[in-house]
Amino acid sequence: MSGRRDRIVIPAAVGAGVATLAWGYMLAGGNPWSMRLDNLLVMYPMTLEAYRQLAAGALPVWANGLWGGFPLLADPVTATFYLPHWLAFLLTPAPHVRAFDLATAWHLGLLAAGSVAFTRRLGAALLPSIVAGAVIVCGRQVQFWAHSFLPCIAALAWWPWAMLAAEWLASEPRGGAAVILGSVALAAQVLAGYPEFALYSGTVAAIWVVARHGAVPRRRRLLRLGVLAVGAAGLAAPQLLPTIADLGDTFRAGSPTAANLLRVFVPDLRALIDPFAPAVVWIGIAPVLLAGVACGQSAGRLLLGLAVAGALLSLGDGTPLHGWLRQIPPYGLFRGPHKFFTITELALVWAAALGGTALWQRPGRVAQMIGALLLAVLVVERGVGFTVEDRLVAGRMPDELPIAAMLSLLDEDVLGAYPTAAPDSPPPRLLVYAPNIRLGNVPMVRGLEQLGGGTTALLPPRHQALLRAPVSPALMDLFGVQVVWLPGPACVQSWGYEVLHRSPRGCLLRNPRRPARYALGVPYEAVATVSALEARTASRVNLLDPVWCSPRPPRCRRLAPLAR
């Protein structure tokens, strides 16, 4: 019973407790807690659209609601094949604005449960393991991803399970169960929408399997790793294949940022006063001291080595290490070296559980009291850090509208002023003439087609070129823009468009030429500049009758020709 309790009962109880507390905390706020930043502007509308298409019996290959048409299935953040997300949508009422909170809560529970299981497997005592499982969800990196990027936190929740599988592979004579667990833990990260974290955690787990002291010969360990990798790739193939197929037509770039080492040990308390204080890495003092104590064990030394490597990689251009790693495919595809600090944050908490155990088990009351004190300080530090980060994220985007306000704006200022003629009529194609942080992909929640959208990770370079091009009537006609929404109360008639609706939030303009959304025409002539496009406006090609296809359920019908 003791072995089963350590493997299943205690981790499950801690995970359920953390998930319940997280869900209650999120419900206590008026607005959805996780509906911020990328979750709000990018992930939620795309994931909701994929869920809607699946519920209608269609594979979400394509979506018309952003960027004038987008390969929805190819972008892994939609998590088309990740069942836990669909359960969150099933359990919440439409339009499912609390689905991300629910999914985030139980993934935090999964992270806590895995941390308890992993540290117990390494030999940590019960109380230090429970403390590690509880405080790991309050780390700066974990909390930031939970706030704003569901694919990240969903992938991160599987990291300790991948590490548990790695420990089994290095020490257990029978490795079948460990291979299955490791394959599921890595594939789940891809299916949840974040292959980058699957790559990083897979790398860390592979290092652990090879470097860990154990009874299994290293040749057998490598064989097990190969089988695990094949299994993970097979399970993740439904998402990997369309993503890889589309990857060559996307733009992946970004300059790395350097970690601020001056604030690694002390949280940036300015965030309590200044909501614009920069987000920095922070780990606190207690986990470092406890991890130092854990260096007396081989597992502790290995965890500390991984923590140091993650910290060095997070410096980006500050050291040559990150540059060397980027030369190895596929590490060069990913940006943001600060994500490597996630390895540091998790590894130090796991090592702290081992350090707390080592002090707890030493003879003499002084060592035990020091261990208890450091564990208490760890809890207090993470509590303060959680408060700071929660305030910081809440104030980072002061102009960001809550999801309820965005949906109200679309209902009243766009759809209310430009209703469709019939329930099965195609929605208007919209241009939000404002920074993409204003509405992002949210218009697609209400079924609108949008020429722009949020900053998706797999955006083709042609779309980015379109963003840099001047907005002109010819360009909007070319892409079938029918209505334009401008933010702010000072609306002016632009491009010769008529003002359909005014409100304190903005105004809606209608394109008087009413261009067709989709058209087939031959021949096409490429032009180099917008000015050249303007010059060609008078000599348009003959267009066939436009055809519109509704994605839910899939059906097409021919529309009446529109006056051009």
Side-chain angles (χ1 to χ4, degrees):
M1 179 63 182
S2 176
R4 181 182 179 186
R5 184 190 66 177
D6 283 349
R7 293 194 309 269
I8 301 175
V9 177
I10 293 176
V14 173
V18 168
T20 302
L21 289 174
W23 177 238
Y25 182 83
M26 294 173 188
L27 288 179
N31 297 315
W33 183 83
S34 61
M35 201 62 71
R36 299 172 182 172
L37 302 175
D38 282 1
N39 271 349
L40 170 62
L41 299 172
V42 182
M43 311 305 167
Y44 160 67
M46 295 173 66
T47 310
L48 175 60
E49 176 63 19
Y51 169 75
R52 286 171 170 173
Q53 292 194 32
L54 283 173
L59 189 65
V61 176
W62 190 262
N64 296 323
L66 68 163
W67 297 109
F70 187 80
L72 200 63
L73 182 64
D75 197 322
V77 300
T78 58
T80 300
F81 303 102
Y82 190 63
L83 297 181
H85 285 0
W86 306 137
L87 184 59
F89 280 96
L90 284 170
L91 295 177
T92 53
H96 311 283
V97 294
R98 286 286 184 179
F100 271 34
D101 278 355
L102 185 56
T104 299
W106 63 42
H107 279 97
L108 290 175
L110 184 65
L111 174 62
S115 296
V116 173
F118 177 52
T119 53
R120 289 292 281 169
R121 174 71 189 185
L122 295 180
L126 179 59
L127 180 60
S129 288
I130 293 176
V131 170
V135 304
I136 202 165
V137 301
C138 297
R140 177 65 64 90
Q141 292 281 323
V142 173
Q143 190 181 358
F144 175 75
W145 299 128
H147 262 301
S148 59
F149 213 97
L150 178 60
C152 274
I153 195 62
L156 197 61
W158 291 97
W159 279 35
W161 299 100
M163 295 301 295
L164 178 60
E167 174 66 13
W168 281 350
L169 289 176
S171 58
E172 289 291 336
R174 295 183 178 180
V179 168
I180 294 174
L181 176 61
S183 298
V184 170
L186 294 182
Q189 297 179 55
V190 177
L191 298 178
Y194 217 60
E196 181 177 0
F197 271 11
L199 175 65
Y200 296 164
S201 65
T203 302
V204 171
I207 293 173
W208 187 274
V209 171
V210 174
R212 180 80 166 104
H213 291 294
V216 179
R218 282 184 170 79
R219 180 177 298 179
R220 183 180 297 180
R221 299 185 197 184
L222 294 175
L223 178 61
R224 290 177 174 182
L225 275 177
V227 176
L228 188 154
V230 172
L235 292 173
Q239 183 60 68
L240 278 177
L241 293 178
T243 299
I244 293 173
D246 192 62
L247 195 60
D249 192 36
T250 62
F251 180 74
R252 298 290 298 160
S255 56
T257 58
N260 189 338
L261 294 180
L262 296 179
R263 299 194 184 100
V264 169
F265 301 103
V266 180
D268 191 0
L269 297 178
R270 290 183 303 149
L272 296 174
I273 304 172
D274 178 15
F276 297 99
V280 295
V281 296
W282 172 71
I283 53 177
I285 299 174
V288 176
L289 296 178
L290 288 169
V293 176
C295 284
Q297 309 172 41
S298 61
R301 291 191 295 272
L302 187 51
L303 285 171
L304 189 59
L306 292 172
V308 172
L312 291 175
L313 286 170
S314 72
L315 295 174
D317 287 346
T319 71
L321 188 61
H322 183 256
W324 294 339
L325 185 65
R326 284 182 60 87
Q327 301 304 313
I328 305 174
Y331 295 95
L333 290 173
F334 305 110
R335 57 190 178 184
H338 63 89
K339 299 172 189 175
F340 286 103
F341 203 80
T342 305
I343 300 173
T344 304
E345 186 172 285
L346 298 187
L348 284 178
V349 172
W350 296 332
L354 298 181
T357 300
L359 290 172
W360 197 271
Q361 294 177 345
R362 284 184 182 179
R365 296 181 58 85
V366 175
Q368 295 174 0
M369 291 178 62
I370 292 175
L373 177 62
L374 288 177
L375 289 175
V377 172
L378 174 60
V379 173
V380 172
E381 282 183 332
R382 289 305 167 97
V384 173
F386 179 88
T387 303
V388 170
E389 179 67 14
D390 204 37
R391 171 69 182 272
L392 177 64
V393 174
R396 187 172 290 142
M397 300 283 288
D399 296 330
E400 183 180 81
L401 295 175
I403 181 61
M406 288 188 178
L407 296 178
S408 174
L409 184 155
L410 294 169
D411 291 339
E412 298 172 10
D413 291 7
V414 179
L415 291 172
Y418 193 85
T420 54
D424 61 344
S425 296
R429 175 161 288 177
L430 171 70
L431 171 66
V432 177
Y433 193 58
N436 55 25
I437 61 172
R438 177 68 65 171
L439 291 177
N441 293 333
V442 175
M444 67 189 298
V445 175
R446 288 300 194 231
L448 290 164
E449 293 187 6
Q450 191 179 184
L451 182 58
T455 53
T456 58
L458 298 183
L459 194 64
R462 294 179 301 281
H463 289 85
Q464 295 195 338
L466 176 63
L467 286 176
R468 294 189 293 267
V471 178
S472 69
L475 198 62
M476 287 190 282
D477 287 353
L478 177 66
F479 290 104
V481 173
Q482 296 166 300
V483 287
V484 178
W485 183 78
L486 300 171
C491 297
V492 294
Q493 189 172 7
S494 303
W495 311 293
Y497 288 14
E498 61 176 308
V499 179
L500 285 180
H501 179 77
R502 298 176 187 266
S503 78
R505 297 176 291 197
C507 63
L508 188 70
L509 309 179
R510 178 168 62 185
N511 187 345
R513 290 175 290 278
R514 302 186 181 184
R517 237 176 241 82
Y518 307 105
L520 301 176
V522 285
Y524 284 114
E525 180 181 354
V527 293
T529 64
V530 175
S531 300
L533 176 65
E534 295 279 1
R536 300 293 189 196
T537 304
S539 57
R540 303 180 184 219
V541 298
N542 295 325
L543 300 178
L544 302 177
D545 293 344
V547 174
W548 175 71
C549 297
S550 170
R552 299 184 307 271
R555 65 172 180 265
C556 298
R557 66 185 182 88
R558 186 170 297 280
L559 306 177
L562 299 175
R564 299 301 300 266

